[in-house]
Amino acid sequence: MIDPQSVEEAAAILLSGRVCAFPTETVYGLGADATNSDAVLAIYETKGRPRFNPLIVHCANLDMAESLAEFSPLARQLAKAWPGPLTLVLPQRAGNKISDIVTAGLDTIAIRIPDHPLALELIRTAGRPLAAPSANPSGRLSPTNAYQVRIGFGGRVPVLDGGPCQAGVESTILKVDGDKVVQLRAGALAREEAERLLGRRIEAAEHDAAIAAPGMLASHYAPEATLRLNAEAPFADEAYLAFGPAPSTDRPMLNLSPTARLHEAARNLFAMLHELDGSGVKRIAVAPIPEEGLGEAINDRLQRAAAPRS
């Protein structure tokens, strides 16, 4: 597969009804024209993604977003976080031309404006909103650089290379329903930051809530190796993913953040899991991560990665 060398080449691939991976500030996305049902189906087929799991639609600006969804005053307040790692689940605007395959038949739509210059230029050049889940086989680790996309799909997916992602975990997903805001997925925008925007608390969805947005499957973001969480040190058959001061060990080890900074840990999470997973180990022990700020998103990804595989 020949990778596009420019935004124009990537846009041409998308407008021809094919998929193309592209960078965002969170992780790489597997993009397709959100108004083209055949193109959107190619996302599901390429990823092996369950059809009941909806997709996020990426927009170039607020005007494009407002053409797709109904914005309440609460939603407009939250949209001040854009461009950025926040996805809003809002009522669909009638006649928005988005394929119902994108929304998995729901009457809501998940949208965001990414904070990455190449992503924004690509959407503007294509002139279409882009459906784009993470660019990895379904349930596997999300890619934070172009190389990981190529390896994940065996070179079958063209990739617009924008370098490493800055956030390293997916966007936070908030559903706005009337005067209620619920966090469906913890992500790169800490819940406390969204609460400061609103001036009110935001509750998290129940773990058994119906799937209304990406990333809500119990088993997700999984490496080939099995994970053991909240481990102070590795066992003899485990690699170790540390956080902060690390124990002395002769086992393979990487440290998410030697200085225990959650932003650094979030940025390194998927890349380091990829590296340890690729070393051939069968088990990975993971150090405890504080459940605060971005720690909520990191722990969410780790718990889903460690969940029993279906």
Side-chain angles (χ1 to χ4, degrees):
M1 180 66 66
I2 299 175
D3 289 332
Q5 299 303 304
S6 67
V7 167
E8 289 74 19
E9 289 181 10
I13 291 171
L14 293 165
L15 291 175
S16 73
R18 292 177 289 159
V19 297
C20 182
F22 65 92
T24 77
E25 79 280 24
T26 57
V27 299
Y28 271 70
L30 182 63
D33 177 357
T35 68
N36 182 333
S37 291
D38 288 336
V40 175
L41 277 173
I43 290 178
Y44 286 91
E45 291 163 356
T46 301
K47 284 178 65 73
R49 185 184 180 92
R51 281 285 305 278
F52 54 79
N53 201 1
L55 305 174
I56 293 173
V57 177
H58 293 67
C59 299
N61 50 47
L62 190 56
D63 285 345
M64 181 180 284
E66 289 181 329
S67 73
L68 306 181
E70 301 285 353
F71 277 73
S72 66
L74 273 180
R76 291 185 184 282
Q77 191 72 11
L78 287 167
K80 292 179 180 179
W82 287 342
L86 172 66
T87 293
L88 295 179
V89 176
L90 304 172
Q92 289 203 63
R93 184 177 291 279
N96 64 13
K97 299 183 180 179
I98 295 295
S99 168
D100 62 1
I101 302 171
V102 170
T103 60
L106 300 173
D107 59 4
T108 55
I109 185 170
I111 55 177
R112 86 178 187 98
I113 301 175
D115 189 15
H116 193 291
L118 272 186
L120 293 173
E121 186 182 354
L122 177 61
I123 301 166
R124 287 194 296 265
T125 301
R128 309 279 174 81
L130 300 182
S134 54
N136 57 295
S138 187
R140 295 303 179 187
L141 293 170
S142 299
T144 56
N145 60 49
Y147 172 77
Q148 292 165 1
V149 179
R150 296 185 187 107
I151 293 299
F153 290 118
R156 294 179 291 108
V157 172
V159 187
L160 179 64
D161 192 342
C165 301
Q166 292 303 304
V169 294
E170 294 84 357
S171 62
T172 299
I173 302 180
L174 301 179
K175 182 177 182 180
V176 182
D177 186 5
D179 61 355
K180 185 178 180 182
V181 179
V182 177
Q183 179 174 274
L184 301 183
R185 179 179 76 181
L189 181 76
R191 194 181 343 174
E192 294 89 337
E193 294 182 45
E195 289 173 338
R196 280 195 289 272
L197 272 177
L198 286 182
R200 58 190 274 189
R201 286 182 58 84
I202 297 172
E203 298 300 322
E206 299 293 334
H207 286 295
D208 58 354
I211 292 173
M216 295 183 71
L217 293 174
S219 177
H220 208 60
Y221 313 113
E224 294 289 342
T226 58
L227 298 189
R228 181 172 66 90
L229 306 185
N230 298 310
E232 298 292 347
F235 294 149
D237 62 343
E238 294 176 327
Y240 193 56
L241 188 60
F243 176 76
S248 177
T249 178
D250 59 0
R251 301 299 301 154
M253 182 174 71
L254 295 173
N255 199 321
L256 290 167
S257 176
T259 55
R261 292 187 297 124
L262 290 170
H263 275 86
E264 182 180 21
R267 187 170 62 248
N268 289 332
L269 177 63
F270 286 129
M272 287 187 174
L273 282 173
H274 270 289
E275 187 172 344
L276 289 176
D277 202 37
S279 70
V281 298
K282 300 299 183 185
R283 292 170 54 86
I284 301 171
V286 184
I289 307 293
E291 188 72 27
E292 61 187 37
L294 286 179
E296 183 181 25
I298 296 168
N299 282 311
D300 172 82
R301 301 307 186 277
L302 288 171
Q303 288 157 10
R304 295 179 192 276
R309 317 286 169 84
S310 56

